[in-house]
Amino acid sequence: MHRLPTACRRLASRAALSTPYAVLRATGVMLSTTHAVRLLHASPARRRGGPASEYTRLVAAGTFVDDAFQRSIVQQLERLYRELLTYTPRAAPTGIAGLACRLLGQKPRPAPRGLYIYGDVGTGKTTTMDLFYATAPTARKRRVHFHAFMLDVHARIRQLRHAHPQADALPALAAELAADHVLCFDEFQVTDIADAMVLRRLTAELFARGVVIVTTSNRAPDDLYANGLQRESFVPCIRMLKEQCRVVALDSGTDYRRRCQAHAHAVYFAPSDARTEPALDALFALAAGGQPAAPATLEFLGRSLLVPRAANGVARLSFAELCAQPHSAADYIQLAQRFHTVMLTDVPVLHMADRNEARRFITLIDALYEAHAVLIMSCCSDIYHIFTGQFDDGDASPLLGHAGEEEVFAFQRAISRLVEMASSQWIINGRNRFLADNARRQAHEAAHPPAHE
C-alpha cells in the first residue's frame, strides 16, 4: 500500500463561493480554509476590505502561511478590487447611438485590467484567486473551472443555433455571459481546436462588453495552444488576454500540496499484489456503509455510462472501463457529481502510445478534484511514474508535437492533485461520511497512542 497526501477545494457553482481550498499552517500541515471562507461570505460585517486585508487577517489567524510570492499576487488583486469598487460595465453603444458617440469623441469607460496568474502547480494560484473572488465587490460574478466553462459554452452554442439557425450564436452567448461582470477561471488551458476557434471570438465579445477576467493557468499566455492546429488564428486571443489582463507569474518554488505528504491517508495501492484485491473489497464495503453493490447506468445528454459496481454513492470501475473507452469530460463530470467516491482499479503504466488514455485519465482526475470526490486507486506503479512520457521502445527523447507536450505538462498538474487527494484532511472534508469518520478516528489514534505499561 502506497501512502500519499492533502487538502480541499470544490468546483464553485454560479451562485456560491468557490469551494474550500487548502493552505498550509506553519507546522506544515495542510488545513482546509472552509470555515474561513464561509465566515468571509456569511458575515458581511467581517469584510473590512479587499483581498490584501483578508490575506493579512488569515495569516495572523494561522490559516495561511505568509508567502512573499503569494502576497505580491494579492497586492495586484487588491488593486483590481479597488478599481471594481467604482466600476459598472457598460457595453459600447451600437447603431446610431454608437455613431453619435464616436463623432462626439465619447468613449465608454474602459474596464479595469484583469489578472492572468500563471506558474507551477501547487504554488497557490487558485488560493489567491479564490481569495479575490470571495472579496470581489459585486454580486455579479462567477467562478468556474475552465474545462467546465468550455463544456457549458459549447452546449449553449448548440442550443442557440438550434433555436436561431440563421443567427450568429457567439454575440448572443457573450451577452448572456456578460451578466456577470467578473469571471474567474481556474486552470485556463487550450488543447482543442474547437475551443481555440470559439475563444478567439468569445474573448473579444466579452471584453467589448466590459467583462473583467481573472484566471489561473500553468502556462504563460504566449505558450497557450502551443503548436496547435491553426494556431495563428488563435494568436489574436492571446494578444487580447495580454492587453486586458495583467500577466503575473507565481513561481515560489514550493508545491504546498506535496508539503503534506507525511499526513497522508492510504487510498492508493501500488504496486498491486495479492493483498490489493481484498483490501479494495474491504474499502469498498466501508465506503458504501456495507450496502450491497449492483450495476448502475448514468443517463445524461443523450449519453449513458455504465458503472459495473455501485452502492450508496460509491462507484467501482477499472481503468480499462473508464479511460480506455472513448469517454468525454462530460462523462467524468457526471460521474464525479453522482458519486462521492470513485474506486479506479488496475491503472497501468502509460507510455506515449497511450496518450489518449493518459489524456482521459487527466480529465478524470480534474473532474474528481473539482467535485472534491474521494479517489481510491490501485496502480502498477506509484503515481509519479504512471505516465513515462516515453515511447514503448524506451526512447526518452522529448515528445513529438503539441499533443505529447500537452500530456506531459498536464500530467504534472494531475500528480500534484493526486498527492493532494490522498491526504486524510481531503477525506475528512469530503462527501463520504464513512471514510471521513474512519480518517478522523485514525488521526485521533495517531495523535493519542495508547500508553505502554
Side-chain angles (χ1 to χ4, degrees):
M1 246 187 309
H2 188 69
R3 293 180 176 235
L4 290 174
T6 236
C8 82
R9 194 172 65 211
R10 296 178 188 158
L11 178 66
S13 69
R14 183 181 179 87
L17 166 68
S18 78
T19 57
Y21 44 88
V23 291
L24 191 66
R25 275 192 187 274
T27 58
V29 181
M30 295 289 284
L31 295 174
S32 166
T33 60
T34 305
H35 299 300
V37 171
R38 283 179 180 170
L39 286 172
L40 187 60
H41 259 259
S43 177
R46 280 184 168 269
R47 262 188 240 178
R48 299 177 182 175
S53 60
E54 284 303 322
Y55 186 85
T56 298
R57 182 178 69 81
L58 292 170
V59 166
T63 306
F64 284 3
V65 167
D66 197 351
D67 183 296
F69 291 89
Q70 290 183 8
R71 188 175 282 279
S72 68
I73 303 300
V74 170
Q75 291 301 326
Q76 297 271 7
L77 292 167
E78 176 71 17
R79 171 203 56 78
L80 178 56
Y81 164 84
R82 293 184 180 279
E83 291 179 347
L84 287 173
L85 286 171
T86 58
Y87 174 67
T88 301
R90 291 183 178 87
T94 59
I96 296 176
L99 177 61
C101 288
R102 287 192 294 273
L103 291 174
L104 294 172
Q106 297 176 350
K107 295 181 180 180
R109 179 186 173 186
R113 291 181 73 189
L115 216 65
Y116 184 107
I117 308 167
Y118 75 96
D120 289 336
V121 297
T123 53
K125 301 184 298 295
T126 302
T127 296
T128 54
M129 185 186 73
D130 284 349
L131 187 62
F132 167 77
Y133 180 86
T135 58
T138 176
R140 299 178 68 174
K141 57 186 175 180
R142 182 184 182 190
R143 190 275 194 200
V144 62
H145 189 273
F146 192 69
H147 205 152
F149 174 75
M150 290 308 300
L151 285 174
D152 178 52
V153 163
H154 287 295
R156 290 163 77 169
I157 288 175
R158 286 193 295 270
Q159 292 172 356
L160 287 167
R161 286 175 176 168
H162 179 75
H164 308 283
Q166 305 303 318
D168 186 352
L170 277 175
L173 173 59
E176 293 177 4
L177 295 173
D180 291 300
H181 299 167
V182 176
L183 292 178
C184 293
F185 298 130
D186 192 26
E187 303 285 359
F188 193 112
Q189 60 175 331
V190 185
T191 59
D192 179 83
I193 187 172
D195 288 352
M197 295 304 101
V198 168
L199 285 168
R200 178 185 60 179
R201 292 187 56 207
L202 183 59
T203 51
E205 294 282 354
L206 291 173
F207 287 136
R209 287 166 170 76
V211 174
V212 176
I213 292 178
V214 176
T215 186
T216 70
S217 180
N218 291 331
R219 285 192 179 276
D222 288 330
D223 294 332
L224 289 172
Y225 198 47
N227 303 317
L229 294 174
Q230 300 180 32
R231 187 176 188 268
E232 65 279 1
S233 298
F234 181 71
V235 171
C237 177
I238 294 175
R239 284 199 294 264
M240 278 185 288
L241 284 171
K242 292 164 68 174
E243 290 170 0
Q244 299 295 329
C245 300
R246 285 184 170 86
V247 179
V248 292
L250 177 51
D251 283 321
S252 66
T254 301
D255 185 341
Y256 285 103
R257 294 168 182 161
R258 297 196 185 193
R259 289 279 294 272
C260 62
Q261 288 191 6
H263 308 277
H265 185 75
V267 289
Y268 301 154
F269 299 80
S272 299
D273 55 29
R275 298 168 296 176
T276 301
E277 193 66 21
L280 291 175
D281 290 341
L283 258 181
F284 186 94
L286 172 64
Q291 295 296 311
T297 301
L298 305 185
E299 303 282 353
F300 56 96
L301 301 175
R303 301 171 63 89
S304 63
L305 176 63
L306 174 65
V307 179
R309 293 183 62 184
N312 203 15
V314 182
R316 178 169 177 170
L317 307 95
S318 69
F319 180 90
E321 292 164 335
L322 201 51
C323 298
Q325 302 299 317
H327 293 301
S328 70
D331 298 332
Y332 299 139
I333 290 173
Q334 283 293 321
L335 182 73
Q337 289 176 349
R338 303 282 187 92
F339 295 96
H340 52 62
T341 306
V342 173
M343 181 175 285
L344 184 66
T345 63
D346 305 315
V347 178
V349 173
L350 301 170
H351 305 286
M352 266 298 298
D354 310 307
R355 60 178 176 269
N356 287 332
E357 290 84 349
R359 187 183 296 113
R360 295 186 195 110
F361 179 74
I362 293 166
T363 304
L364 170 66
I365 299 306
D366 284 346
L368 295 174
Y369 182 87
E370 293 299 333
H372 199 231
V374 174
L375 174 65
I376 301 168
M377 186 167 63
S378 66
C379 320
C380 292
S381 171
D382 65 78
I383 62 171
Y384 301 102
H385 299 97
I386 291 176
F387 186 56
T388 66
Q390 301 176 9
F391 292 92
D392 291 328
D393 61 5
D395 180 9
S397 62
L399 298 179
L400 302 178
H402 167 67
E405 291 175 359
E406 284 298 328
E407 268 68 74
V408 169
F409 192 87
F411 220 89
Q412 297 306 308
R413 182 186 76 249
I415 289 172
S416 181
R417 288 186 164 186
L418 285 169
V419 166
E420 184 175 350
M421 293 168 72
S423 74
S424 57
Q425 195 65 37
W426 179 277
I427 295 166
I428 288 171
N429 289 322
R431 296 182 286 153
N432 188 313
R433 63 185 179 90
F434 301 108
L435 292 179
D437 289 344
N438 185 62
R440 288 190 194 94
R441 183 168 56 253
Q442 290 184 0
H444 179 79
E445 291 173 354
H448 304 89
H452 295 287
E453 295 185 1

